[in-house]
Amino acid sequence: MPGTFEPLPGGGASVALDDVEISIIRSLAVQLLELIGPGPAEDAPADPLAELFAEGPSEPPSDPVLKRLLPDAYRDPETPGTPREAAEQRAHSAEFRRYTENDLRAGKRENALAVIHSLNALAPGGEGPAVLELTPDESRRWLGALNDLRLAIGSRLEITDEDDTDDFYRLPDEDPRKPMVMAYLWLGGLQETLVSTLLP
């Protein structure tokens, strides 16, 4: 899957994607949306003021992928300190999460939706790959979504450090992790080339 982003004149980026690549990215983005979940007021009456002051959860999510996507702000597992310091960190993290997690989830949902909408706008099944062209703002949304997808897959693969990926290059084809590893590495390549298009 050789698709790489290239800069467009005047800003933005383009990438050629075949039908399989489009299908993979769309499927992963939809799964990410399902994981993040609906917004806090999506099943409530339309009240912008209520949504503005809606509080989020104070406890970290139990799913390890969501923990990676929505990490604690103040807790440092490497240096927990005294029990009192650890309790203070938990309290600060809970307070921070209560007022920021809803917005963080909303941003991740918007990024994933931007990916899906831009892929849906491509002309279906022509000769050769389709060329996706993104504005600078769409490029930033794609970058956020690609990062979230890699974090999610990396969490499922239990990757804690980029150095952990070295062994994945040598996985045998029959290893059940192989498709997920290939997606992780491919998305990393896409992410890296997209970053380069956004640099001045």
Side-chain angles (χ1 to χ4, degrees):
M1 298 180 189
T4 57
F5 280 98
E6 296 179 3
L8 287 173
S14 68
V15 64
L17 298 169
D18 63 29
D19 289 345
V20 173
E21 293 168 330
I22 291 168
S23 176
I24 290 170
I25 296 172
R26 183 188 290 118
S27 174
L28 290 172
V30 167
Q31 290 176 52
L32 182 64
L33 277 175
E34 291 170 354
L35 181 66
I36 292 167
E42 286 187 18
D43 49 359
D47 182 351
L49 194 59
E51 187 169 351
L52 180 65
F53 291 103
E55 291 185 9
S58 59
E59 292 298 318
S62 58
D63 186 296
V65 174
L66 282 175
K67 274 187 182 175
R68 188 95 175 263
L69 292 172
L70 307 164
D72 272 333
Y74 291 95
R75 294 173 74 177
D76 182 2
E78 300 296 320
T79 56
T82 66
R84 179 178 176 176
E85 289 169 336
E88 287 175 356
Q89 284 182 353
R90 282 193 298 275
H92 291 312
S93 288
E95 191 73 4
F96 188 81
R97 184 178 294 279
R98 182 177 295 117
Y99 294 109
T100 60
E101 185 171 308
N102 286 343
D103 287 341
L104 191 56
R105 283 180 185 255
K108 292 180 183 301
R109 268 192 302 275
E110 289 168 12
N111 290 344
L113 282 169
V115 167
I116 293 167
H117 292 319
S118 59
L119 292 175
N120 288 345
L122 288 175
E127 291 288 325
V131 177
L132 174 69
E133 294 189 352
L134 303 174
T135 66
D137 183 58
E138 289 170 334
S139 295
R140 285 186 286 275
R141 292 204 174 278
W142 262 76
L143 189 59
L146 288 173
N147 186 61
D148 287 342
L149 289 173
R150 289 194 78 232
L151 284 173
I153 294 171
S155 180
R156 291 287 186 237
L157 292 170
E158 298 181 351
I159 296 172
T160 56
D161 189 298
E162 279 301 314
D163 293 337
D164 294 346
T165 60
D166 291 344
D167 292 338
F168 286 131
Y169 286 101
R170 295 183 288 277
L171 280 180
D173 289 343
E174 60 272 11
D175 191 303
R177 298 172 296 169
K178 185 81 175 209
M180 201 181 300
V181 167
M182 295 303 293
Y184 179 83
L185 297 173
W186 173 58
L187 292 173
L190 282 177
Q191 184 181 17
E192 187 176 334
T193 59
L194 184 53
V195 167
S196 69
T197 70
L198 295 171
L199 295 176

